[in-house]
């Protein structure tokens, strides 16, 4: 019985979304602009990386061709390597939004057809009745920030006052989110999680997709730094995803990284949540090594987004892509005959773009596995085609959304 692995390279978009202008993102192109920057020397950083973007394994899987199909431009140093080793194409997001839950839910067969709620880019951003209730129920002396902000900048701006007063740092972005940052030691990690649960309840009437706990450590002398103990409190997907179908059928499901949080821990099977891209990828590879027939591993690698995209760090993003690429042979070595791997993304986050928010982009679809021929998947009109193809591969009928590309050889 076949098995499957999906790896979401969080925010690794490949440009070209037709509705990008509606999101203020016309011309954004995460991979393309990183490749161009590296070719021009803007991706160099001493002690980290130098030179053109070097992704030989993903290029052999068709990444450059997927970029070219999406935008009409072949990024520097991503020319196709012959012979290709995988099937390639790109996905078009149909969900309303460019956020993490929308992208992941659509991948699993449930596009977001409703409009998320958002907090305005004003000061204050949050309604007074929400913050008053949060302060009262959380027994807080008050809150700080109350605005749109970068997660690292807002800690630099308010960290000292937070430690002095005990007031948590509450901020948002163009995504449907309320984020709360607090010091793990002086405020307390569990207290932060408990506060986010209160905020999750308070955000429901506003149709806010996620409340995110953003713990940090440090001091005035050393500076402040976020830790890996982030936790997302999301709403449930509006209908059954492929995860629900697989779990109800008794199939083994392993979710790695923040997948459990994204799906509000519904039908997420064995959850593994290490810190960092490398640790998450190792966990996914290890899970494939013990996965029974018919099983599914679903992994998210968040560092591309959180560490480099939002921080507009081109060299860091390029180095992270190259680090992932070097480990593709390990993924291949963990596969058995009939296995299917799909590498994709949930949205873009162009590190060369203005601001610090996600960008509305197409996403790559790179599929491979033992016995599968190299082929052109082409343009997929919804991320849900990934879920439909997984269901086809694992022996289930597709959900209501998405079409399988029937690429797996028998």
């Amino acid at each position: 019985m076949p098995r499957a692995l999906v790896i979401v390279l969080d925010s690794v978009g490949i440009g070209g979304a037709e509705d990008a202008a509606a999101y203020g993102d016309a011309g954004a192109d995460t991979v393309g602009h990183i490749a161009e920057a590296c070719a021009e020397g803007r991706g160099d950083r001493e002690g980290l990386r130098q030179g053109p973007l070097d992704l030989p394994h993903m290029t052999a899987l068709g990444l450059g061709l997927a970029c070219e199909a999406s935008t009409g431009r072949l990024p520097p140093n991503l020319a196709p390597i012959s012979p290709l080793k995988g099937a390639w194409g790109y996905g078009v997001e149909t969900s309303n939004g460019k956020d993490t839950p929308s992208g992941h839910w659509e991948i699993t067969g449930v596009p977001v057809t409703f409009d998320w709620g958002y907090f305005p880019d004003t000061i204050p951003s949050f309604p007074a009745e929400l913050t008053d209730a949060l302060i009262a129920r959380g027994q807080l002396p008050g809150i700080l920030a109350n605005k749109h902000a970068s997660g690292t900048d807002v800690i630099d701006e308010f960290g000292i006052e937070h430690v002095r007063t005990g007031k948590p740092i509450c901020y948002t972005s163009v995504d449907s989110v309320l984020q709360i940052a607090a010091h793990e030691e002086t405020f307390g990690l569990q207290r932060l999680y408990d506060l986010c649960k209160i905020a999750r309840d308070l955000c429901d009437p506003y149709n806010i997709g996620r409340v995110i706990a953003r713990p940090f450590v440090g001091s005035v002398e050393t500076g402040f730094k976020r830790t890996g103990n982030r936790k997302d409190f999301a709403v449930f997907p509006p209908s059954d995803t492929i995860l629900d179908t697989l779990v109800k059928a008794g199939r083994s499901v392993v979710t790695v990284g923040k997948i459990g949080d994204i799906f509000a821990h519904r039908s997420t099977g064995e959850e593994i949540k290490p810190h960092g891209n490398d640790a998450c990828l190792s966990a996914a590879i290890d899970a494939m090594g013990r996965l029974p027939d018919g099983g599914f591993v679903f992994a998210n690698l968040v560092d591309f987004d959180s560490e480099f995209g939002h921080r507009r760090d081109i060299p860091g993003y390029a180095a992270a892509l190259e680090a992932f690429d070097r480990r593709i042979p390990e993924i291949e070595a963990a596969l058995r005959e009939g296995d299917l791997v799909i590498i994709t993304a949930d949205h873009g986050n162009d590190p060369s773009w203005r601001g610090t928010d996600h960008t509305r982009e197409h996403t790559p679809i790179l599929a491979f596995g033992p016995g599968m021929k190299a082929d052109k998947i082409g343009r997929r009109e919804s991320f849900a085609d990934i879920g439909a193809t997984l269901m086809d591969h694992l022996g289930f009928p597709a959900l209501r959304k998405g079409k399988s590309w029937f690429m797996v050889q028998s």
Side-chain angles (χ1 to χ4, degrees), residues 192-213:
L192 173 59
Y193 291 161
D194 291 341
L195 182 63
C196 286
K197 291 177 183 177
I198 294 171
R200 171 69 272 166
D201 181 55
L202 295 173
C203 282
D204 284 346
Y206 300 94
N207 202 27
I208 300 301
R210 287 181 295 166
V211 173
I212 304 178

Side-chain angles (χ1 to χ4, degrees), residues 167-346:
K167 298 177 181 179
I169 303 167
C170 300
Y171 62 103
T172 186
S173 69
V174 298
D175 287 342
S176 182
V177 65
L178 189 160
Q179 304 190 71
I180 305 179
H183 198 284
E184 284 195 3
E185 296 159 356
T186 63
F187 190 87
L189 183 59
Q190 187 58 52
R191 185 184 177 200
L192 173 59
Y193 291 161
D194 291 341
L195 182 63
C196 286
K197 291 177 183 177
I198 294 171
R200 171 69 272 166
D201 181 55
L202 295 173
C203 282
D204 284 346
Y206 300 94
N207 202 27
I208 300 301
R210 287 181 295 166
V211 173
I212 304 178
R214 292 288 195 176
F216 63 93
V217 294
S219 65
V220 176
E221 294 75 23
T222 64
F224 300 109
K225 182 179 180 180
R226 295 196 303 196
T227 74
N229 292 322
R230 161 185 172 161
K231 191 170 185 179
D232 294 29
F233 297 83
V235 296
F236 289 115
S239 60
D240 280 1
T241 69
I242 66 171
L243 296 175
D244 296 299
T245 300
L246 293 173
V247 168
K248 288 175 183 177
R251 297 292 182 92
S252 178
V253 170
V254 181
T255 53
V256 181
K258 65 177 186 177
I259 298 293
D261 289 348
I262 294 167
F263 290 84
H265 308 285
R266 189 180 82 192
S267 298
T268 45
E270 177 190 352
E271 294 186 10
I272 308 172
K273 196 176 183 183
H275 298 160
N277 277 2
D278 270 346
C280 285
L281 184 56
S282 292
I285 292 170
D286 290 345
M288 286 299 290
R290 55 185 169 79
L291 190 71
D293 287 350
F296 175 49
V297 177
F298 193 14
N300 172 283
L301 306 186
V302 72
D303 286 0
F304 298 110
D305 186 54
S306 62
E307 298 298 316
F308 310 113
H310 286 301
R311 299 186 187 190
R312 296 303 187 246
D313 182 353
I314 293 174
Y317 208 131
L321 286 169
E322 291 168 340
F324 171 75
D325 189 85
R326 288 192 292 270
R327 299 196 64 186
I328 288 179
E330 295 179 53
I331 301 171
E332 294 172 326
L335 303 181
R336 301 200 300 248
E337 191 68 27
D339 286 351
L340 169 65
V341 179
I342 299 175
I343 297 171
T344 189
D346 53 343

